[in-house]
mmCIF file of all heavy atoms in Angstrom:
data_model
loop_
_atom_site.group_PDB
_atom_site.id
_atom_site.type_symbol
_atom_site.label_atom_id
_atom_site.label_comp_id
_atom_site.label_asym_id
_atom_site.label_seq_id
_atom_site.Cartn_x
_atom_site.Cartn_y
_atom_site.Cartn_z
ATOM 1 N N PRO V 30 -58.600 48.122 -43.342
ATOM 2 C CA PRO V 30 -57.361 47.776 -44.040
ATOM 3 C C PRO V 30 -56.282 47.292 -43.075
ATOM 4 O O PRO V 30 -56.285 47.644 -41.888
ATOM 5 C CB PRO V 30 -56.937 49.093 -44.707
ATOM 6 C CG PRO V 30 -58.157 49.941 -44.700
ATOM 7 C CD PRO V 30 -58.967 49.523 -43.524
ATOM 8 N N GLU V 31 -55.379 46.513 -43.574
ATOM 9 C CA GLU V 31 -54.268 46.012 -42.779
ATOM 10 C C GLU V 31 -53.502 47.188 -42.165
ATOM 11 O O GLU V 31 -53.143 48.143 -42.846
ATOM 12 C CB GLU V 31 -53.323 45.191 -43.678
ATOM 13 C CG GLU V 31 -52.251 44.456 -42.939
ATOM 14 C CD GLU V 31 -52.786 43.260 -42.159
ATOM 15 O OE1 GLU V 31 -53.836 42.719 -42.559
ATOM 16 O OE2 GLU V 31 -52.149 42.884 -41.164
ATOM 17 N N GLY V 32 -53.292 47.120 -40.860
ATOM 18 C CA GLY V 32 -52.521 48.143 -40.176
ATOM 19 C C GLY V 32 -53.298 49.365 -39.746
ATOM 20 O O GLY V 32 -52.730 50.266 -39.118
ATOM 21 N N ALA V 33 -54.602 49.425 -40.064
ATOM 22 C CA ALA V 33 -55.376 50.638 -39.750
ATOM 23 C C ALA V 33 -55.995 50.619 -38.357
ATOM 24 O O ALA V 33 -56.253 51.676 -37.778
ATOM 25 C CB ALA V 33 -56.478 50.838 -40.784
ATOM 26 N N ARG V 34 -56.250 49.433 -37.801
ATOM 27 C CA ARG V 34 -57.022 49.350 -36.559
ATOM 28 C C ARG V 34 -56.441 50.203 -35.436
ATOM 29 O O ARG V 34 -57.159 50.904 -34.730
ATOM 30 C CB ARG V 34 -57.106 47.898 -36.076
ATOM 31 C CG ARG V 34 -58.081 47.039 -36.845
ATOM 32 C CD ARG V 34 -58.185 45.657 -36.222
ATOM 33 N NE ARG V 34 -58.954 44.758 -37.058
ATOM 34 C CZ ARG V 34 -60.264 44.577 -36.962
ATOM 35 N NH1 ARG V 34 -60.955 45.248 -36.066
ATOM 36 N NH2 ARG V 34 -60.888 43.726 -37.763
ATOM 37 N N GLY V 35 -55.130 50.136 -35.258
ATOM 38 C CA GLY V 35 -54.507 50.843 -34.154
ATOM 39 C C GLY V 35 -54.560 52.352 -34.272
ATOM 40 O O GLY V 35 -54.301 53.061 -33.288
ATOM 41 N N LYS V 36 -54.916 52.865 -35.460
ATOM 42 C CA LYS V 36 -54.965 54.314 -35.679
ATOM 43 C C LYS V 36 -56.383 54.881 -35.596
ATOM 44 O O LYS V 36 -56.570 56.095 -35.675
ATOM 45 C CB LYS V 36 -54.388 54.645 -37.057
ATOM 46 C CG LYS V 36 -52.976 54.124 -37.291
ATOM 47 C CD LYS V 36 -52.558 54.364 -38.740
ATOM 48 C CE LYS V 36 -51.192 53.747 -39.031
ATOM 49 N NZ LYS V 36 -50.826 53.915 -40.468
ATOM 50 N N LEU V 37 -57.377 53.999 -35.460
ATOM 51 C CA LEU V 37 -58.758 54.453 -35.574
ATOM 52 C C LEU V 37 -59.244 55.222 -34.352
ATOM 53 O O LEU V 37 -60.088 56.107 -34.474
ATOM 54 C CB LEU V 37 -59.689 53.261 -35.823
ATOM 55 C CG LEU V 37 -59.459 52.485 -37.123
ATOM 56 C CD1 LEU V 37 -60.486 51.355 -37.241
ATOM 57 C CD2 LEU V 37 -59.547 53.407 -38.327
ATOM 58 N N ALA V 38 -58.729 54.906 -33.168
ATOM 59 C CA ALA V 38 -59.239 55.540 -31.949
ATOM 60 C C ALA V 38 -59.075 57.052 -31.993
ATOM 61 O O ALA V 38 -59.995 57.805 -31.635
ATOM 62 C CB ALA V 38 -58.538 54.961 -30.723
ATOM 63 N N ASP V 39 -57.910 57.526 -32.417
ATOM 64 C CA ASP V 39 -57.689 58.981 -32.483
ATOM 65 C C ASP V 39 -58.657 59.628 -33.459
ATOM 66 O O ASP V 39 -59.220 60.694 -33.182
ATOM 67 C CB ASP V 39 -56.247 59.286 -32.897
ATOM 68 C CG ASP V 39 -55.256 59.048 -31.775
ATOM 69 O OD1 ASP V 39 -55.695 58.951 -30.608
ATOM 70 O OD2 ASP V 39 -54.046 58.955 -32.063
ATOM 71 N N ALA V 40 -58.863 59.011 -34.612
ATOM 72 C CA ALA V 40 -59.764 59.579 -35.617
ATOM 73 C C ALA V 40 -61.205 59.597 -35.105
ATOM 74 O O ALA V 40 -61.959 60.540 -35.382
ATOM 75 C CB ALA V 40 -59.676 58.782 -36.921
ATOM 76 N N MET V 41 -61.592 58.587 -34.339
ATOM 77 C CA MET V 41 -62.955 58.534 -33.823
ATOM 78 C C MET V 41 -63.204 59.605 -32.771
ATOM 79 O O MET V 41 -64.350 59.942 -32.484
ATOM 80 C CB MET V 41 -63.255 57.151 -33.250
ATOM 81 C CG MET V 41 -63.380 56.088 -34.325
ATOM 82 S SD MET V 41 -64.094 54.533 -33.713
ATOM 83 C CE MET V 41 -62.929 54.085 -32.454
ATOM 84 N N GLY V 42 -62.155 60.166 -32.209
ATOM 85 C CA GLY V 42 -62.326 61.218 -31.216
ATOM 86 C C GLY V 42 -62.985 62.463 -31.767
ATOM 87 O O GLY V 42 -63.541 63.270 -31.001
ATOM 88 N N MET V 43 -62.994 62.633 -33.094
ATOM 89 C CA MET V 43 -63.624 63.799 -33.726
ATOM 90 C C MET V 43 -65.003 63.480 -34.280
ATOM 91 O O MET V 43 -65.582 64.291 -34.986
ATOM 92 C CB MET V 43 -62.737 64.337 -34.847
ATOM 93 C CG MET V 43 -61.449 64.993 -34.359
ATOM 94 S SD MET V 43 -61.753 66.413 -33.285
ATOM 95 C CE MET V 43 -62.436 67.588 -34.463
ATOM 96 N N ASP V 44 -65.551 62.311 -33.954
ATOM 97 C CA ASP V 44 -66.876 61.949 -34.468
ATOM 98 C C ASP V 44 -67.943 62.898 -33.925
ATOM 99 O O ASP V 44 -67.945 63.250 -32.735
ATOM 100 C CB ASP V 44 -67.211 60.508 -34.074
ATOM 101 C CG ASP V 44 -68.472 60.011 -34.749
ATOM 102 O OD1 ASP V 44 -68.370 59.519 -35.880
ATOM 103 O OD2 ASP V 44 -69.551 60.143 -34.146
ATOM 104 N N LYS V 45 -68.879 63.295 -34.793
ATOM 105 C CA LYS V 45 -69.873 64.308 -34.420
ATOM 106 C C LYS V 45 -70.894 63.798 -33.406
ATOM 107 O O LYS V 45 -71.604 64.592 -32.802
ATOM 108 C CB LYS V 45 -70.595 64.812 -35.678
ATOM 109 C CG LYS V 45 -69.662 65.502 -36.675
ATOM 110 C CD LYS V 45 -70.420 66.121 -37.822
ATOM 111 C CE LYS V 45 -71.117 65.091 -38.675
ATOM 112 N NZ LYS V 45 -70.198 64.114 -39.279
ATOM 113 N N LYS V 46 -71.009 62.472 -33.216
ATOM 114 C CA LYS V 46 -71.967 61.945 -32.239
ATOM 115 C C LYS V 46 -71.427 61.994 -30.813
ATOM 116 O O LYS V 46 -72.163 61.778 -29.867
ATOM 117 C CB LYS V 46 -72.341 60.503 -32.592
ATOM 118 C CG LYS V 46 -73.094 60.340 -33.896
ATOM 119 C CD LYS V 46 -73.535 58.913 -34.109
ATOM 120 C CE LYS V 46 -72.368 57.962 -34.224
ATOM 121 N NZ LYS V 46 -71.435 58.298 -35.310
ATOM 122 N N ASN V 47 -70.130 62.255 -30.671
ATOM 123 C CA ASN V 47 -69.531 62.247 -29.336
ATOM 124 C C ASN V 47 -70.140 63.343 -28.465
ATOM 125 O O ASN V 47 -70.501 64.419 -28.949
ATOM 126 C CB ASN V 47 -68.019 62.438 -29.423
ATOM 127 C CG ASN V 47 -67.327 61.293 -30.152
ATOM 128 O OD1 ASN V 47 -67.928 60.241 -30.354
ATOM 129 N ND2 ASN V 47 -66.090 61.504 -30.543
ATOM 130 N N ARG V 48 -70.228 63.073 -27.177
ATOM 131 C CA ARG V 48 -70.744 64.046 -26.223
ATOM 132 C C ARG V 48 -69.817 64.111 -25.013
ATOM 133 O O ARG V 48 -69.453 63.089 -24.446
ATOM 134 C CB ARG V 48 -72.162 63.656 -25.758
ATOM 135 C CG ARG V 48 -73.219 63.686 -26.859
ATOM 136 C CD ARG V 48 -73.501 65.104 -27.353
ATOM 137 N NE ARG V 48 -74.569 65.119 -28.342
ATOM 138 C CZ ARG V 48 -74.385 64.980 -29.648
ATOM 139 N NH1 ARG V 48 -73.167 64.796 -30.129
ATOM 140 N NH2 ARG V 48 -75.412 65.003 -30.476
ATOM 141 N N ARG V 49 -69.433 65.339 -24.661
ATOM 142 C CA ARG V 49 -68.563 65.568 -23.500
ATOM 143 C C ARG V 49 -67.304 64.708 -23.567
ATOM 144 O O ARG V 49 -66.823 64.181 -22.551
ATOM 145 C CB ARG V 49 -69.324 65.305 -22.203
ATOM 146 C CG ARG V 49 -70.538 66.213 -22.014
ATOM 147 C CD ARG V 49 -71.250 65.925 -20.700
ATOM 148 N NE ARG V 49 -72.428 66.783 -20.548
ATOM 149 C CZ ARG V 49 -73.625 66.481 -21.011
ATOM 150 N NH1 ARG V 49 -73.808 65.343 -21.666
ATOM 151 N NH2 ARG V 49 -74.649 67.299 -20.836
ATOM 152 N N GLY V 50 -66.773 64.592 -24.758
ATOM 153 C CA GLY V 50 -65.536 63.854 -24.940
ATOM 154 C C GLY V 50 -65.671 62.351 -24.922
ATOM 155 O O GLY V 50 -64.665 61.639 -25.006
ATOM 156 N N GLU V 51 -66.898 61.839 -24.816
ATOM 157 C CA GLU V 51 -67.099 60.398 -24.770
ATOM 158 C C GLU V 51 -67.604 59.884 -26.117
ATOM 159 O O GLU V 51 -68.482 60.489 -26.732
ATOM 160 C CB GLU V 51 -68.110 60.030 -23.675
ATOM 161 C CG GLU V 51 -67.626 60.338 -22.269
ATOM 162 C CD GLU V 51 -68.619 59.882 -21.223
ATOM 163 O OE1 GLU V 51 -69.692 59.353 -21.608
ATOM 164 O OE2 GLU V 51 -68.331 60.062 -20.022
ATOM 165 N N LEU V 52 -67.060 58.744 -26.546
ATOM 166 C CA LEU V 52 -67.504 58.124 -27.787
ATOM 167 C C LEU V 52 -68.923 57.592 -27.631
ATOM 168 O O LEU V 52 -69.245 56.936 -26.639
ATOM 169 C CB LEU V 52 -66.576 56.968 -28.170
ATOM 170 C CG LEU V 52 -65.160 57.325 -28.640
ATOM 171 C CD1 LEU V 52 -64.340 56.064 -28.795
ATOM 172 C CD2 LEU V 52 -65.208 58.090 -29.947
ATOM 173 N N ARG V 53 -69.771 57.912 -28.609
ATOM 174 C CA ARG V 53 -71.132 57.384 -28.630
ATOM 175 C C ARG V 53 -71.315 56.589 -29.916
ATOM 176 O O ARG V 53 -70.982 57.077 -30.992
ATOM 177 C CB ARG V 53 -72.174 58.513 -28.570
ATOM 178 C CG ARG V 53 -72.162 59.281 -27.278
ATOM 179 C CD ARG V 53 -73.101 60.479 -27.347
ATOM 180 N NE ARG V 53 -74.503 60.102 -27.200
ATOM 181 C CZ ARG V 53 -75.433 60.296 -28.123
ATOM 182 N NH1 ARG V 53 -75.120 60.805 -29.300
ATOM 183 N NH2 ARG V 53 -76.691 59.952 -27.902
ATOM 184 N N PHE V 54 -71.826 55.396 -29.782
ATOM 185 C CA PHE V 54 -71.982 54.519 -30.937
ATOM 186 C C PHE V 54 -73.457 54.201 -31.175
ATOM 187 O O PHE V 54 -74.254 54.184 -30.239
ATOM 188 C CB PHE V 54 -71.236 53.197 -30.710
ATOM 189 C CG PHE V 54 -69.746 53.326 -30.673
ATOM 190 C CD1 PHE V 54 -69.083 53.533 -29.470
ATOM 191 C CD2 PHE V 54 -69.005 53.246 -31.840
ATOM 192 C CE1 PHE V 54 -67.710 53.654 -29.438
ATOM 193 C CE2 PHE V 54 -67.626 53.371 -31.820
ATOM 194 C CZ PHE V 54 -66.975 53.572 -30.613
ATOM 195 N N VAL V 55 -73.773 53.951 -32.435
ATOM 196 C CA VAL V 55 -75.056 53.343 -32.784
ATOM 197 C C VAL V 55 -74.821 51.844 -32.745
ATOM 198 O O VAL V 55 -73.969 51.319 -33.467
ATOM 199 C CB VAL V 55 -75.527 53.786 -34.180
ATOM 200 C CG1 VAL V 55 -76.875 53.156 -34.499
ATOM 201 C CG2 VAL V 55 -75.595 55.299 -34.268
ATOM 202 N N LEU V 56 -75.569 51.157 -31.885
ATOM 203 C CA LEU V 56 -75.363 49.735 -31.681
ATOM 204 C C LEU V 56 -76.620 48.949 -32.055
ATOM 205 O O LEU V 56 -77.711 49.515 -32.161
ATOM 206 C CB LEU V 56 -75.001 49.466 -30.217
ATOM 207 C CG LEU V 56 -73.724 50.157 -29.718
ATOM 208 C CD1 LEU V 56 -73.501 49.853 -28.240
ATOM 209 C CD2 LEU V 56 -72.513 49.737 -30.529
ATOM 210 N N LEU V 57 -76.446 47.667 -32.264
ATOM 211 C CA LEU V 57 -77.558 46.797 -32.639
ATOM 212 C C LEU V 57 -78.096 46.041 -31.436
ATOM 213 O O LEU V 57 -77.335 45.553 -30.603
ATOM 214 C CB LEU V 57 -77.106 45.764 -33.674
ATOM 215 C CG LEU V 57 -76.742 46.245 -35.078
ATOM 216 C CD1 LEU V 57 -76.416 45.037 -35.944
ATOM 217 C CD2 LEU V 57 -77.858 47.064 -35.691
ATOM 218 N N GLU V 58 -79.434 45.941 -31.367
ATOM 219 C CA GLU V 58 -80.047 44.967 -30.485
ATOM 220 C C GLU V 58 -80.170 43.632 -31.219
ATOM 221 O O GLU V 58 -79.996 42.564 -30.638
ATOM 222 C CB GLU V 58 -81.419 45.452 -30.019
ATOM 223 C CG GLU V 58 -81.341 46.655 -29.084
ATOM 224 C CD GLU V 58 -82.690 47.020 -28.499
ATOM 225 O OE1 GLU V 58 -83.725 46.460 -28.952
ATOM 226 O OE2 GLU V 58 -82.719 47.863 -27.595
ATOM 227 N N ARG V 59 -80.467 43.737 -32.501
ATOM 228 C CA ARG V 59 -80.568 42.572 -33.383
ATOM 229 C C ARG V 59 -80.638 43.109 -34.804
ATOM 230 O O ARG V 59 -80.776 44.309 -35.008
ATOM 231 C CB ARG V 59 -81.825 41.758 -33.071
ATOM 232 C CG ARG V 59 -83.109 42.535 -33.233
ATOM 233 C CD ARG V 59 -84.337 41.710 -32.879
ATOM 234 N NE ARG V 59 -85.569 42.464 -33.119
ATOM 235 C CZ ARG V 59 -86.114 43.314 -32.269
ATOM 236 N NH1 ARG V 59 -85.535 43.541 -31.092
ATOM 237 N NH2 ARG V 59 -87.242 43.930 -32.562
ATOM 238 N N LEU V 60 -80.529 42.258 -35.796
ATOM 239 C CA LEU V 60 -80.693 42.682 -37.178
ATOM 240 C C LEU V 60 -82.088 43.274 -37.354
ATOM 241 O O LEU V 60 -83.086 42.627 -37.042
ATOM 242 C CB LEU V 60 -80.497 41.505 -38.139
ATOM 243 C CG LEU V 60 -79.070 41.008 -38.327
ATOM 244 C CD1 LEU V 60 -79.046 39.817 -39.275
ATOM 245 C CD2 LEU V 60 -78.150 42.118 -38.857
#
């Protein structure tokens, strides 16, 4: 949504995939 991007980093800090305080993402090699 408009205006949400700048607020997402703090919310992502509580993601359950994070390890030792570092953000972990599921990423694509290809479709």
Side-chain angles (χ1 to χ4, degrees):
E31 189 72 26
R34 284 185 189 269
K36 304 173 185 177
L37 297 181
D39 285 344
M41 289 193 301
M43 290 299 291
D44 189 86
K45 298 186 295 300
K46 295 185 297 302
N47 296 345
R48 295 292 184 271
R49 299 181 181 87
E51 295 183 359
L52 290 172
R53 294 173 77 242
F54 292 92
V55 181
L56 300 178
L57 291 184
E58 292 187 350
R59 60 182 183 275
L60 287 178

